[in-house]
Amino acid sequence: MDWGTVSTEDLIEALKEVDWSSPPRPLNEFFSKFTVPRSSNKWNSRLKCNLYYYRTNYFLMIVFILGLGFLRRPLAIVAALSTALTIAFLNDSFAGTFSEKVTRTVRRFSPHLAAKMRPPLMPVLRGRPSSKRAIYICGRPRWQFVLLFSAVSFFLWFVSCGLLTLLWALSIGLLATIMHASFRTPNLKARLNTFREEFRAVWRNYSDL
């Protein structure tokens, strides 16, 4: 796969739809081999490939750096977790898994309430959905959860006075991510894994029709 032909919009869309529940890559692989890209095109292709392949590692690394920055601000840690959860809700796979697990837990105590948390059925025309499948969390549109947790996160950041610390920690985390993705040499395993995940995603799309 030529990552140089993949646009930034396509990469963001793929990161939204891909499954984020996969475990992070081993540390000996994550810090295995680093080389300087030979050209800007090689750098662009390498950056996109590594961001996709090591996405879970980068996410955990940023969360770890944020945690170090807020060791003396417990309320800011809660705000960081709320912000991370808000961002995670934007991923289709995480939103669906989160909704399913919460509904399953509620069903143990109140089956009637769990029935109300099911997503509405989409109308089907000629064997296909009449519109693009909307994402629901616990029976509510996803944007409501994103808006709610965004408001809670902003309030917690304001109360904890940790906005400046957040900016510094987030900048360091993003800089470390870009530096690693730029110099980590993509290996054959990463390319094969990318093809396998893309095939599974395409197969799921066909099975939904």
Side-chain angles (χ1 to χ4, degrees), residues 6 22 30-31 40 45 60 65 71 78 88 96 98 101 107 129 134 155-156 173 184 208:
V6 178
S22 58
F30 189 62
F31 296 105
S40 59
S45 177
L60 294 178
I65 294 176
L71 286 178
V78 179
F98 177 86
K101 289 185 177 181
R107 188 181 295 116
F155 175 77
L156 292 175
R184 175 64 174 90
D208 291 338

Side-chain angles (χ1 to χ4, degrees), residues 49 62 112 171 174:
C49 179
I62 293 176
H112 180 69
S171 299
L174 292 177

Side-chain angles (χ1 to χ4, degrees), residues 29 32 49-50 53-54 184-192:
E29 177 188 345
S32 177
C49 179
N50 285 333
Y53 182 68
Y54 294 111
R184 175 64 174 90
T185 304
N187 52 22
L188 180 61
K189 182 179 179 181
R191 300 180 186 277
L192 292 177

Side-chain angles (χ1 to χ4, degrees), residues 12 25 32-33 48 60 66-67 73 80 86 94 106 118 123 136 142 146 151-152 156-158 161 163 171 173:
I12 295 176
R25 312 299 176 185
S32 177
K33 184 180 180 181
K48 295 174 182 177
L60 294 178
L66 288 174
R73 298 176 181 270
T86 303
F94 178 86
V106 174
R118 295 177 181 175
Y136 287 83
R142 175 170 55 181
V146 173
V152 172
L156 292 175
W157 285 122
F158 180 79
C161 301
L163 288 177
S171 299

Side-chain angles (χ1 to χ4, degrees), residues 4-191:
T5 60
V6 178
S7 64
T8 304
E9 292 77 9
D10 293 336
L11 178 62
I12 295 176
E13 192 67 24
L15 290 176
K16 287 176 58 180
E17 296 180 359
V18 75
D19 185 9
W20 281 69
S21 61
S22 58
R25 312 299 176 185
L27 291 179
N28 57 349
E29 177 188 345
F30 189 62
F31 296 105
S32 177
K33 184 180 180 181
F34 295 88
T35 57
V36 178
R38 299 179 180 179
S39 63
S40 59
N41 292 332
K42 290 288 186 180
W43 171 80
N44 185 37
S45 177
R46 177 184 298 185
L47 181 67
K48 295 174 182 177
C49 179
N50 285 333
L51 286 176
Y52 184 85
Y53 182 68
Y54 294 111
R55 56 187 179 274
T56 307
N57 296 73
Y58 294 142
F59 179 77
L60 294 178
M61 182 175 65
I62 293 176
V63 171
F64 177 74
I65 294 176
L66 288 174
L68 291 179
F70 298 129
L71 286 178
R72 297 183 178 180
R73 298 176 181 270
L75 191 58
I77 296 179
V78 179
L81 293 176
S82 178
T83 303
L85 189 60
T86 303
I87 298 175
F89 279 147
L90 298 177
N91 178 259
D92 297 349
S93 176
F94 178 86
T97 303
F98 177 86
S99 178
E100 181 181 352
K101 289 185 177 181
V102 172
T103 304
R104 189 180 305 169
T105 303
V106 174
R107 188 181 295 116
R108 299 177 182 176
F109 306 97
S110 178
H112 180 69
L113 179 60
K116 295 182 178 180
M117 298 172 62
R118 295 177 181 175
L121 298 177
M122 299 295 296
V124 178
L125 296 177
R126 296 181 180 178
R128 296 186 178 185
S130 59
S131 60
K132 186 178 180 180
R133 184 173 63 92
I135 304 299
Y136 287 83
I137 302 177
C138 299
R140 299 292 180 179
R142 175 170 55 181
W143 67 267
Q144 294 184 5
F145 274 78
V146 173
L147 185 62
L148 175 62
F149 278 85
S150 298
V152 172
S153 301
F154 179 80
F155 175 77
L156 292 175
W157 285 122
F158 180 79
V159 173
S160 63
C161 301
L163 288 177
L164 184 59
T165 306
L166 169 67
L167 293 178
W168 276 106
L170 192 59
S171 299
I172 295 174
L174 292 177
L175 179 61
T177 298
I178 295 176
M179 292 293 292
H180 181 277
S182 298
F183 294 100
R184 175 64 174 90
T185 304
N187 52 22
L188 180 61
K189 182 179 179 181
R191 300 180 186 277

